[in-house]
Amino acid sequence: MRPSRPIATFFLCCAVFALAACSSKPESAAEAFYLAAEKGNVEKASAQVSFADLDAGEMERLREKVQVVVAEVQGLIAANGGLERVEVLDSKVTADGSGAQIEVKLVFNNGKDRTESHRLSRQDEGWKIRLP
């Protein structure tokens, strides 16, 4: 029995959207993190953070840390009238392609800005921010 064309099209679209959701560039992970944090969306922000090579206890501590960081970033963004944009200042991928160091500028709606640096690692699902 051959699957119907609408069903096949649906699954193809799902696959395309799943691949598009992966962070193909290191900068994409940082931008997605800050946009999620602005809205207080811990789940979406956490999806941009690396939990690789952690045992259960470390993973739980990192999840709690992400919640705190998201709350702090959300407060910072709100105090500055919202986030106008995330601007990439520098992006360096390691020679083997497994890691990156990026520098971004958060530009707020009140005209102020703040520069942040992040280390990232490439994982199967895309680039992920490595929190200290």
Side-chain angles (χ1 to χ4, degrees):
M1 180 179 213
R2 203 175 106 187
S4 70
R5 188 165 294 246
I7 293 173
T9 302
F10 170 75
F11 285 113
L12 178 62
C13 289
C14 288
V16 168
F17 286 124
L19 289 174
C22 296
S23 300
S24 60
K25 299 185 299 186
E27 313 75 66
S28 300
E31 183 176 22
F33 178 85
Y34 286 111
L35 293 175
E38 178 180 29
K39 295 175 182 164
N41 191 328
V42 175
E43 186 177 326
K44 283 187 179 180
S46 293
Q48 305 307 317
V49 175
S50 173
F51 291 92
D53 305 323
L54 299 176
D55 65 34
E58 292 171 322
M59 190 176 293
E60 184 57 33
R61 283 189 292 280
L62 185 57
R63 287 189 194 285
E64 290 171 3
K65 183 176 184 174
V66 170
Q67 288 179 333
V68 170
V69 169
V70 167
E72 289 173 355
V73 170
Q74 184 182 28
L76 172 71
I77 291 171
N80 285 285
L83 185 62
E84 182 180 318
R85 70 183 181 276
V86 178
E87 188 177 305
V88 179
L89 300 176
D90 193 26
S91 179
K92 295 177 185 168
V93 176
T94 59
D96 67 0
S98 66
Q101 176 78 30
I102 65 168
E103 189 173 353
V104 295
K105 181 181 354 179
L106 306 177
V107 180
F108 303 108
N109 288 331
N110 65 0
K112 295 181 181 180
D113 61 67
R114 179 175 173 160
T115 301
E116 298 284 342
S117 295
H118 297 286
R119 290 181 313 124
L120 296 97
S121 63
R122 184 188 305 254
Q123 297 174 359
D124 292 340
E125 59 275 358
W127 288 97
K128 301 291 181 178
I129 298 170
R130 298 191 61 87
L131 294 179

